[in-house]
Amino acid sequence: MRVPLTTRDFLDRAELVYGDRIGIVDEPTQPAAPLGELTYREVARRGRAIAAGLDALGVGEGERVAVVSHNSARLLELLYAVPSFGRVLVPINFRLSPAEFAYIAEHSGASVLLADPEVEQQLAGIEVKHRFLLGEEYESGLLRFDAEPRPWTEPDEDATATINYTSGTTARPKGVQMTHRNIWVNATTFGMHMQVSDRDVYLHTLPMFHCNGWGLPYTSAGLGVRQVPIRKIDGAEILRRVEQHGVTLMAGAPAVWNAVLDAAADWDGPVPGRDQVRIVVAGAPPPSRTIARVEEELGWEFNQIYGLTETAPLLTINRPRAEYDQLSPEDRAKALSRAGVPALGTRMTVSESGEVLAQGNTVLAGYWENPGASAEALDGGWFHTGDGGTIDEGGYLTISDRKKDVIITGGENVSSIEVEDAVFSHPAVAEVAVIGVPDEKWGEMVTALVVLSEGQSVTEAELIAHTRERIAGYKAPKRVEFREAIPRTATGKIQKFKLRQAFWTDQGRQVN
Ligand code: AMP
């Protein structure tokens, strides 16, 4: 027998098995009226009301529904409701600039746009058939509790469930097409490897737009986990929520855990969650000092995964295995600093040029409306990660270098080319190269190396302000260094590895 694997399975099981259980505790501090505590029965009922509302608007199967929002119960329910009834959800990074929002809305061909009140202004210029502000407008304008939704005519596990836009090496973001099957396999494999159960309470420290919150919203619903969205990353607030809700599971980039460690130093009394919390870290290589501090100062279990938006994301996992119990804290942190071994059903290898390649059921179907990029990424039957790495004798992958010039700052991807474009638009700039420089707080700090045009002058602050007007604030350089020249190859290409070398010499590898 073959039953299609779709996102609907997670919502249906949550309702059937855990209907009476509080499934979501909404974020209390948000501009849209918070939904409070929702049972999984209520989440499923609201999901059907969203689908019935889309039916009433005439939004057909396969049409795109875009949403721009901070973490909230409403964003979470959309992750279930939109794909489960045959439409495609496009969750967009709320930190982007108006031009970037417009590009994604247009490129994805979204017919519905849903937005957090905080980003309303930035979306004003976008032309779209239907738009609702999350909150009252969405509750009364979209949700239809008086009608049963039309079921998805022919549920297909290979249909696109979500399109997640990611900043790649080109200035234009690419839309990663995640199929229902990709999401299903990621969610169940992730749940198995992390031993997720209905005793868990999951705090969403990861932005849900980012790779659908790594697929953990699906794992959580299917297994009856209580979910607590959090709107902003603040170390002390994370600790308070861990205490308040009895949180046992979280995920995020290394920068999140550095913020928690800082807050823990000022925390009054024992840090909550000792020997209860497991964290999953990815997005950038965590420094081993962070790993040791998480385990010692917080008493939280440290797990690392490696993957990309293109891979749903789970590719490798490094859980503290039984053998690690014998290791000294230092050796244990070292062991845990590797990206990990392939998750069940995933195959990993390293190409001759040192690029990490992957095969598995979490690998994307392709990039939306971009056959060239899809063919390149999947060339030879392997997914090309763009990351450099090595695999040791035990099968453990270590990420050592990045083939592409994406900078990862505070867990978010920034295309250096895009930043260069914005800096270069200032008339005083003759040449610019943007690189990531190791930084305690951000992981990598966006740094611009600039050569000025003859007779021109501009200050660091002016140039940063100029850039911030053009691209999202987190992408703008935090530092500008003026140079006499920028070394280039014979064919005129900037040699970024040479520029980075000066900053990375004592780091051992070319990512922090
Ligand atoms: P994204 O598509 O935004 O999730 O970013 C994916 C990229 O993050 C990968 O290509 C890697 O460069 C980086 N990354 C993710 N996880 C890890 C990890 N555990 N160690 C090192 N880099 C990572």
Side-chain angles (χ1 to χ4, degrees), residues 262-282:
D262 283 350
D266 300 326
W267 187 258
D268 213 7
V271 175
R274 180 166 280 275
D275 298 329
Q276 303 289 327
V277 170
R278 342 200 265 303
I279 63 166
V280 186
V281 182

Side-chain angles (χ1 to χ4, degrees), residues 423 426 428-429 448 450 452 456-467 477-482:
V423 175
H426 192 286
V429 175
V450 169
L452 288 179
Q456 297 272 353
S457 73
V458 62
T459 66
E460 179 179 24
E462 286 166 359
L463 209 45
I464 291 173
H466 172 87
T467 315
K478 297 219 162 30
R479 185 163 137 198
V480 176
E481 278 193 28
F482 295 97

Side-chain angles (χ1 to χ4, degrees), residues 210 282-285 304-309 387 399 402 404 408 413:
H210 192 152
Q304 182 171 177
I305 66 157
Y306 162 76
L308 299 83
T309 300
D387 293 310
I399 301 299
R402 214 169 286 132
K404 53 198 179 187
I408 302 188
N413 280 16

Side-chain angles (χ1 to χ4, degrees), residues 4 33 40 55 192 204 258 261 272 282 314 361 394 403 444 459 482:
Y40 270 124
D55 290 346
M192 180 192 68
H204 284 270
N258 287 333
L261 284 166
L314 187 60
N361 292 303
K403 294 282 157 188
E444 286 179 57
T459 66
F482 295 97

Side-chain angles (χ1 to χ4, degrees), residues 15-37:
E15 184 177 32
L16 179 72
V17 186
Y18 299 103
D20 292 333
R21 191 182 266 234
I22 302 295
I24 305 177
V25 183
D26 200 7
E27 166 66 49
T29 67
Q30 55 169 318
L35 293 174
E37 296 186 341

Side-chain angles (χ1 to χ4, degrees), residues 62-137:
E63 280 192 48
R64 273 77 59 210
V65 175
V67 56
V68 188
S69 173
H70 286 74
N71 285 358
S72 71
R74 290 187 180 89
L75 178 51
L76 202 43
E77 68 189 8
L78 286 162
L79 282 167
Y80 306 124
V82 173
S84 296
F85 292 84
R87 283 94 179 184
V88 179
L89 187 71
V90 184
I92 305 177
N93 182 350
F94 55 81
R95 293 204 205 95
L96 298 180
S97 71
E100 291 163 321
F101 287 136
Y103 174 77
I104 294 172
E106 207 223 315
H107 187 261
S108 66
S111 44
V112 183
L113 179 61
L114 305 167
D116 188 286
E118 210 170 85
V119 289
E120 185 182 7
Q121 294 260 298
Q122 287 103 293
L123 300 173
I126 296 175
E127 277 181 37
V128 64
K129 259 197 215 148
H130 311 283
R131 73 166 73 211
F132 299 94
L133 275 190
L134 294 175
E136 185 41 41
E137 203 173 294

Side-chain angles (χ1 to χ4, degrees), residues 9 16 18 27 30 33 38 61 68 148 151 167 184 193 199 212 234 252 276 300 311 367 404 420 486 499:
D9 293 336
L16 179 72
Y18 299 103
E27 166 66 49
Q30 55 169 318
L38 298 173
E61 290 175 8
V68 188
E148 273 303 304
S167 291
W184 210 100
H193 280 300
R199 288 164 201 272
N212 307 321
D234 171 324
Q276 303 289 327
W300 295 358
T311 63
Y367 294 104
K404 53 198 179 187
E420 283 162 9
I486 291 174
L499 298 175

